[in-house]
Amino acid sequence: MKPISLKIKGINSYVSEQSIDFAKLAESNIFGIFGETGSGKTTILDAITYVLYGNLPGARKNIDTKNLRSHFCNENETSYVDFVFSLNSKFYRVKRTLP
């Protein structure tokens, strides 16, 4: 699987919509996810896991997906993850909203 783009809104530290263009980042054939503590690195990986599987399996399974929703969002705002990736030369788009 090759990530192409990711949009996150209302999840943990990403209150407003944030977009990540993995295709642009990968032009140099290597990139990393780095930043200060609390900047949202784990949230990016949790968002991808959640959008693909609908939960957080493995070591993070004790986190209720309801806890992914940012506490700073208004109750009537929709929180979501929108992920585009390629696999075997085909493109896929998966979008999930949080409860």
Side-chain angles (χ1 to χ4, degrees):
M1 176 186 70
K2 181 178 179 180
I4 305 298
S5 68
L6 178 69
K7 289 183 184 177
I8 304 172
K9 181 177 183 235
I11 297 180
N12 288 343
S13 54
Y14 298 103
V15 178
S16 60
E17 183 180 276
Q18 301 295 314
S19 297
I20 301 172
D21 184 350
F22 290 105
K24 184 174 181 179
L25 292 172
E27 286 176 355
S28 62
N29 294 323
I30 188 169
F31 70 90
I33 300 172
F34 58 92
E36 294 186 24
T37 301
S39 63
K41 301 176 299 293
T42 301
T43 300
I44 293 169
L45 301 175
D46 284 348
I48 292 171
T49 302
Y50 173 71
V51 78
L52 291 175
Y53 302 104
N55 61 25
L56 298 175
R60 299 190 53 78
K61 69 181 174 184
N62 60 340
I63 295 178
D64 186 345
T65 54
K66 292 178 184 176
N67 292 332
L68 284 176
R69 184 170 162 75
S70 175
H71 299 290
F72 298 104
C73 288
N74 294 329
E75 290 181 24
N76 58 350
E77 287 185 274
T78 302
S79 299
Y80 62 85
V81 180
D82 188 346
F83 185 50
V84 178
F85 64 95
S86 66
L87 181 64
N88 298 327
S89 302
K90 293 182 181 179
F91 289 85
Y92 300 90
R93 180 178 181 211
V94 183
K95 183 173 181 178
R96 283 189 197 266
T97 57
L98 284 165

